[in-house]
Structures are given as C-alpha cells and as structure tokens.
Amino acid sequence: MLKVIKNRIEQGHRTSKYPKEPIDLYKRFRGMPKVEQNCPPELVQRCADACPQECIDVDSRQIDLGRCVFCGLCETLSEGQFVKFSTNFEMGTANRDDLFTHGDLPALAEHSKKHFKKLFGRSLQLRQISAAGCNACEADTNVLNTPFFDLQRFGIQFVASPRHADGIHVTGPISENMRQATITTWESVPAPKVVIASGACAISGGPFHGSPEIVGDLNKLIPVDLYIPGCPPHPLTTLHALLNYFK
Amino acid sequence: MESFLQIQNNERLARADIPHLPFFQFRNEMLAFAKDGAQVVQFFAYEEEGSMKMLAVMRTDKLYVAGCDAPEDDKFPALTAESEKFHMFEREIGEQYGLKAEGHPWLKMVRYHKNYTGKKDVFDNDYSQDIPGNYPYFTVDGETVHEVAVGPVHAGIIEPGHFRFQCCGERVFHLEIQLGYQHRGVEKLFESVPFKRLPIIAETIAGDTTIGHNLCQAQAIESLADLKVDEGASIVRTIALEMERIANHIGDLGALSLDVAFNPPAAYFGRIRGEYLNLSQILGGNRFGRGLVRPGGVTHIMGDEQRQLLSEKLAELTPEVEHVNDLIFSAPSVMARFDDTGTVPYENAEKIGLVGYAGRACGLSYDARVSFPTECYADLPANSNARTDGDVCSRATVRREEIMHSTAIINTLLEKKVDAASYIPPEVNLAPDSFVVSVNEAWRGEVSHCILTDGNGDILRYKVKDPSFHNWTGLALSLRDTGISDFPLCNKSFNLSYCGFDI
Ligand code: SF4
Ligand code: SF4
C-alpha cells in the first residue's frame, strides 16, 4: 500500500492541457507540410520522382496528404526549398479532396456535418476496426486512453461492441481478408452513424497501395465522414480531429 | 549438416556458391540438423525460369544455408512428420507455391490467399469464399466439451485474428489460432514495386517493430549493394532498436498489470511508454522510428542537442520505471496470477523454436544480438535472465530485465559522442545472382529478411520472417490445461504480432 502511495506521489498529475493550451512537439516532428510555390521546377520534379508514395503532383505542386507517409524525403532532397514540414499536427479534413494541399487545410470545425455535433457533441462512442493496420495506427489511437491524453474527459470513448457505438474508426488498408468483417461491423452499428478513416492506409492504401490483397480505400466500401492523415496520425492529430469535428 | 554452407549474418553470396542438393539429401540433412538442436531461420520456396526451388537457412551458434530443386510432382514427404520445427514453414510453402507436404499432421492454410504459381490449391480452397475457407478447426469431442470462438474483430483497439478454444468448463484443452486477416501481400510487393518504396513497406510490416524490420532490410540491401554505414549511423540504429524494445516492454508490463486488475501501474506505464516513443521522435521525427533507417545510414544526425535530451530524459524516467516495476513485482496479488500461469516447458519451446523473450523465458538463451551481432552489438554486454520457468511470470521478468539492460546499452552509446554522417540518398545497384540473409534481435525476437536477386540484379524472391511466425504456436501451447480466463494474461505476456505474421 505504501508503495502505491509513493508511486502515486511520484507520478503526480500528467494530463495535458491541450486544447485549452497549445502543445509544442519537438522540432523534428513532421506535421503539416508547407509547400513552396516558387521553387524551381526541376527540384519539384526531382522530389516527385523520388517520393516513395508518388503523392506529389508536379503541375499543381500539391501533396496528397491522404497518401503521404511523412517520410521526410522531399524535405531532405529539396533542403526545405520545396517542402518543409511544420510541427503543426492539426490535419483532419471532412473531404478527401481537401487533402490535396499546399499546406493550408480548411478549418475542420466549420466543415463538420452540423447534425453530428448535435448528436455526438456531448457523447461519442466509437468502435475501432483494425483492417490490416500495421498496429502503429492502432497503438497511437489506444494511447488516447492513457492519462496524458485522457480522451474520456471529452465524452469520447472506444467501446467493445459495434451495437453500443455511434460510429467506426477504421485503420489499415482493408485487406481482402478483412473486407467482410469490416462491412459486417459497420452494418452492426445503429444509424445515424459516422465513419472515420484514420491513417494513410485507410484513406488510400498507404504503403501497400497497388497490392491485389487489399481494398485500399475505405471510401470504396462505405462513405467516409472524417479523414485523419498520417502514418500513423500523431495522437494529437486524432484528438484535434475528433474535438473539432464533433464538439 | 555436412553439405550445408556456413555463412555470416548479412554476408553476400553468389547464388552459385550455395550448395544445391538433391531433394532427399536436403531433407535428411535438415532433419538430422534439427534433431541435433538446430533451428530454422528461413525455409521457403521460389520460382526461377519456370522451375521450383527451395532454400533453407538453419542456425546453431552459426548460420548455414543450402538449397534444392523442389520434387517434380509438387509433393514431398513432410519434414514436420518428423520434426515440429518445420510445421509453419511447410504450411507456408504449400500456400505460397502449391508444393504439398504430404503426411503433414496439420496442413492448413496460413494466411488464406491464392498461391503464386497458378498450380492447384493445396488446400482445395475457393478464394471467392471468405476466410478461413475449406478447412475444419481442430475439435475435441465429448459431452462436456464446448467451443469458444473469438474474433476476428476483438473487443479492444487491436488487430484482428480468430481464436478457437476447446474447453471443458473453464479448462482449455486446446486453442487453435487462425490468422491471415492482416495479409497485405508484403513479399509480393517487395518483388514488384519500385525500389524507392521498399523502406516504406519494410517499416510497416509490423508497426511496433518498425526499426527491427527496417534494419533487416537496410542491412540486406547494404550487403547486396556494397554500401558502407558509418559508426555514428550504427549508433543511432542501435539506440533506435533498443528504444523500440523498451517502449514495447513497458507498455506490455503495464497491460499485464491491468489484466490482473492492478490498475495504477497500467496508468503509469501507459504514459511512460509514450515518453519513450517521444524519445524516438527526438531521434527521427516519428514516434515509431519511421523514416529514420535507410540503406546506407540514417536520415537524421544525432548531435549534442539530441544526445543531451535523450540522456536527461532517460535519467528522469529510469527511476520511475524501476519504481513502477517494483510496484508490480512486489504485489502478492499480481504474483499469484503470474506464477505458474501459461507455462511452456523447455522441451516444447525447443521443439517449436520459440524465439525472443518468449524463448529466453523458457531457458532457450538465443539472442541474435549475441549470436549474430550487427551494428554496435559485438562491443556491447549481453543480458542474462534470472527466471526461466516458461510461465507468465518468467516472460514478464525477462522483459523487466531487458528494459534495464537496454537502458544501459543506450547510456553507453550516448557516451560515445560520434555524429552520423549526413544522409545523401545513395545510388543503389543490387549485385546480380546473389543471396543475403539478415537476422536481427528486434524486441519480440529474431526478425529475418532474405533476398535473392536474378541475373539483372532485380529482386527474384524476398522472404520476410517475423518472430511471431514461431511464437504464435507458443501462445497456443501455453493455454493447454489453463483456465480460459487466463487467456488475456497469457496473450499479453507474449504480445505477438498479427500483421508481422500475416505479412
Ligand atoms: S514526405 Fe510525403 S510527399 Fe514527401 S517524399 Fe515522403 S511520402 Fe512523398
Ligand atoms: S497508415 Fe501507416 S501506421 Fe497506419 S496502419 Fe497504415 S502503415 Fe500502419
């Protein structure tokens, strides 16, 4: 018992003040990219050719954040002249098209479907489906339940049964072997319900795009309401998206 | 093993130098070797110019390789009939290349996909049907026997898999674990996508083993393409691998505590695990080590600033970790549940070739960092384990010890103050007609990647093996004659990878 108390004192209170107070991530963190429009075309071409995810469009000079895995290669190659990553982790969108970007996303809170805020603003229960996710997406969703993020203080909870849920949160590129289970789980959630695609995989197939063993885009199976980019999305990216879209 | 060739970890060989044996000699030598205590690192089939071949890498305290032509009629007498060590490998060979191991006691699909050759399916599956296809689960008959089925979608934020228990009341007779739901076709992608995509896929084979898998790939490519890695980069790689180990062990020890309803350590370790992930973010900008390791080096230099941040944070966290561990391991209610639960005896562990902490907790001392050291490991002290009874408590204790050992390693390396060279993506040309096998001790155990190139230096066959490929069988065995309510505890004590297994 004494040890429990001693540890309790040592651990103290660790819950972050975000979103009331901003939070700074270490400068190496790769969040929202800033895409330089005046960079020489050869350099843009070089980055586009080298990009492992083939998600840089040379003509529009946009990056598809739904496919980008934030590997940082374009920043290294262009020495920041074409792409520079900021530590801004706030990157959720309500439309797939908005993820093709120069680094300026529309404010998520204004694009939320209004009735979702009314329905789920005070209480949101989600069923998580890992559909061939590599478990980094899953792990960084799970940490929202740790004391630092303490998701439940916002009335948001991950629940065990789809029957108790208001929506699904899907990670992974949806393997062919998870196609049916994903659909069945979604069908088991009572309407009205929301669908969240989290991570490059669920949005576009991510690192596995083009594999015949995956569906690769959740939107092909069920209509998606909220997109959270990243590989994996930082827990704060997910937290920001949930708070702005539903609150 | 007279005919097998002894090789080094990450040594590039001309494929012509690999002993090519008649099938039955290949088979007999492997069996004799396995009987003498050798384990299988790699055993797979591949196709070249229309003919089917097999290749195996075995280990004692050294690595050995040999190959053979697959038998003409696409069947062969199963090695598994004589040694359990080949069990999963032969199922995989059947699934991937349509070669049937006849007399295999449990010839069931592994991941449920069409084979790569267009040959008749070994399991008579029709792949328009949903997984698990045409194959029964192992059942136990009897009036008092009942069956419990769990998954694929589980009750938490966790990957999918199916578990089928045969129980008498609360007691489990047998657990069968059916995976495959996470299959993404990783090996085929490696063989077909542009080279620039390789590290991105390697990092995502199993997210919690980002560094482990990516390191294997980077080393294999460095060997095939003659790339040198500077000392500073090696230090960063070693630190990153140990950081990955610490974060996972801490998270799991917290979860184990939660599974026996002792909540405070779970809350503390849940947060502290995040602190270690944030240290990885200081190293390379990502909590899981994504984008850090690349063929030829590392993308981010660890300079004085990062070294200082890491040392200071480690100095702050280490006593906290010790205290929380002490809290867990001195609570009688925890120990009562950990002790003698989910035991895998040494003999069984050896038979199925358990690796990593799961193996070490059973007394199999194998640690790839010691046997086949890469990066900085040859110069670093090895760990030893005090408790090796094969139960949940042993697995938890080994992991507690490994946290402290890894912390010591990182502190030693931080002292070295050697900066990595700055990263310039190198020109990569793989040597033609070559072979390399790479082995690293990731946090769960031995990860191995094997690459064969063709005459043009393109990848002919890319084989991935996650430690979970061995260890899932260990979890199934640990449940024998155990209460079904101890499943979460046993499961967490192994914490195996679904996607690493399913690739
Ligand atoms: S950070 Fe994104 S856009 Fe840049 S190279 Fe990597 S995947 Fe491509
Ligand atoms: S998006 Fe990235 S982190 Fe998430 S499941 Fe896919 S590969 Fe893993």
Side-chain angles (χ1 to χ4, degrees), chain A residues 51-53 55-56 63 67-75 85:
Chain A
C51 169
Q53 289 297 94
C55 60
I56 299 174
I63 293 184
R67 197 185 243 200
C68 172
V69 292
F70 298 81
C71 71
L73 183 62
C74 49
E75 184 178 46
F85 285 93

